[in-house]
């Protein structure tokens, strides 16, 4: 585990996919629909870096869970605060540093470090030996249902249409104090640092966060809300996807998550 010192602190789940517009000649579909399951999915946020020599085991676990447990949706946020060690992580963004700092202010440790896991908004410090928080996160019925539709757009982009609905029989949540976060992610990402703590090591990451946008949760309850992501240039083994989750504005609760893999 690698802590950020005070000096530097200053500043897949169950998815229903509907493939539409397929012709008898096998033409590409025009849209894909995804709906979240009745149970809560575990949103697993990992703060990591290609400049952190203690991060590869956490990266590997996140990738394994993505493949093996469809109720876990991992996200790899690459932070910038280790870039000064010699290798500038090409996927790092200051916004991810700030998200982690916000979580740290709400967590018992109050520290910023890598690798750091948060499960449905709660710090998971003993991830290497205790699966309890992960299992509990996906053991309850979700209070809301997320629906996503992905449609190809012009100029190498994807349009994302989002709907939100309450789940019958579940206690209502304060959606006027919640937001929907949508993230463009990429799988099969390979990096080979030539400096820093991981100099010469080949690293592979899954569900790397490339871009984020937020929507008003209350608005999505009343009608479909749309946004657009510019798609990344992808190598032969890389695939993009969209992840959505509904979270309270204070970040303390995640009500539901949904993984929408690339479908066209």
């Amino acid at each position: 585990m690698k802590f950020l010192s005070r000096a530097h602190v200053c500043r897949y789940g169950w998815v229903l996919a509907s493939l539409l517009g397929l012709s008898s000649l096998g033409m590409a579909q025009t849209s894909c629909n995804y709906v979240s399951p009745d149970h809560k999915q575990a949103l697993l946020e990992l703060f990591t870096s290609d400049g952190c020599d203690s991060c590869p085991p956490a990266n590997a676990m996140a990738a394994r869970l993505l493949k093996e447990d469809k109720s876990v949706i991992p996200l790899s946020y690459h932070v910038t605060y280790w870039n000064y060690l010699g290798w500038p992580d090409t996927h790092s963004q200051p916004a991810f540093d700030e998200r982690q700092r916000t979580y740290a202010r709400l967590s018992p440790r109050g520290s910023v470090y890598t690798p750091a896991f948060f499960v449905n908004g709660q710090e998971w410090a003993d991830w290497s030996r205790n699966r309890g928080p992960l299992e509990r996160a996906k053991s309850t019925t979700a209070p809301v249902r997320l629906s996503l539709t992905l449609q190809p757009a012009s100029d190498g982009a994807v349009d994302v249409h989002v709907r939100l609905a309450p789940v019958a029989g579940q206690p209502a949540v304060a959606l006027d104090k919640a937001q929907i976060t949508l993230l463009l992610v990429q799988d099969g990402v390979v990096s080979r640092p030539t400096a820093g703590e991981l100099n010469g090591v080949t690293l592979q990451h899954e569900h790397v966060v490339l871009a984020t946008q937020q929507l008003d949760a209350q608005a999505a309850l009343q009608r479909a809300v749309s946004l657009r992501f510019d798609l990344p240039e992808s190598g032969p083994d890389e695939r993009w996807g969209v992840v959505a989750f509904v979270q309270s504005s204070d970040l303390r609760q995640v009500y539901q998550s949904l993984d929408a893999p690339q479908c066209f």
Side-chain angles (χ1 to χ4, degrees), residues 251-263:
L251 304 190
R252 294 181 184 274
Q253 296 186 71
V254 174
Y255 301 121
Q256 184 57 300
S257 309
L258 180 59
D259 194 3
Q262 178 179 343
C263 59

Side-chain angles (χ1 to χ4, degrees), residues 12-17 32-36 41 66 73-75 146-151 158-162 182-187 207 229 231 239-245 257-264:
Y12 283 14
W14 177 93
V15 175
L16 172 64
C32 304
N33 297 333
Y34 301 85
V35 182
S36 63
Q41 305 205 99
L66 176 67
I73 302 176
L75 295 171
L146 267 169
S147 301
L148 293 182
T149 298
L150 306 184
Q151 288 184 311
V158 58
D159 286 331
V160 184
H161 310 288
V162 189
L182 291 109
L183 309 98
L184 181 69
V185 300
Q186 193 164 30
D187 292 325
H207 267 36
F229 281 114
L231 294 177
R239 292 180 63 81
W240 58 267
V242 174
V243 171
F245 58 88
S257 309
L258 180 59
D259 194 3
Q262 178 179 343
C263 59
F264 49 78

Side-chain angles (χ1 to χ4, degrees), residues 83-230:
N83 288 353
Y84 79 96
L85 294 176
W87 178 253
D89 190 325
T90 57
H91 293 99
S92 63
Q93 298 185 33
F96 304 158
D97 303 7
E98 185 54 38
R99 182 170 180 82
Q100 186 182 11
R101 290 188 179 103
T102 301
Y103 271 143
R105 289 192 289 268
L106 301 172
S107 302
R109 288 190 175 200
S111 301
V112 174
Y113 58 91
T114 54
F117 279 112
F118 290 81
V119 181
N120 283 354
Q122 303 301 310
E123 186 176 26
W124 186 23
D126 56 350
W127 56 270
S128 62
R129 60 182 182 278
N130 178 17
R131 287 286 296 267
L134 193 65
E135 297 304 318
R136 288 192 294 271
K138 56 184 182 176
S139 64
T140 59
T141 301
V144 294
R145 178 170 290 110
L146 267 169
S147 301
L148 293 182
T149 298
L150 306 184
Q151 288 184 311
S154 59
D155 301 324
V158 58
D159 286 331
V160 184
H161 310 288
V162 189
R163 285 297 301 266
L164 191 61
V167 173
Q170 294 303 303
V173 295
L175 292 178
D176 59 331
K177 298 179 180 178
Q179 57 200 13
I180 301 174
T181 299
L182 291 109
L183 309 98
L184 181 69
V185 300
Q186 193 164 30
D187 292 325
V189 175
V190 175
S191 59
R192 298 177 177 84
T194 57
E197 293 183 346
L198 291 171
N199 182 16
V201 178
T202 298
L203 306 172
Q204 182 159 340
H205 303 282
E206 307 298 333
H207 267 36
V208 175
V209 179
L210 303 182
T212 67
Q213 298 189 51
Q214 290 186 326
L215 297 172
D216 178 73
Q218 193 74 23
L221 189 63
Q222 299 168 356
R223 64 186 189 281
V225 182
S226 302
L227 54 77
R228 177 171 292 187
F229 281 114
D230 292 324

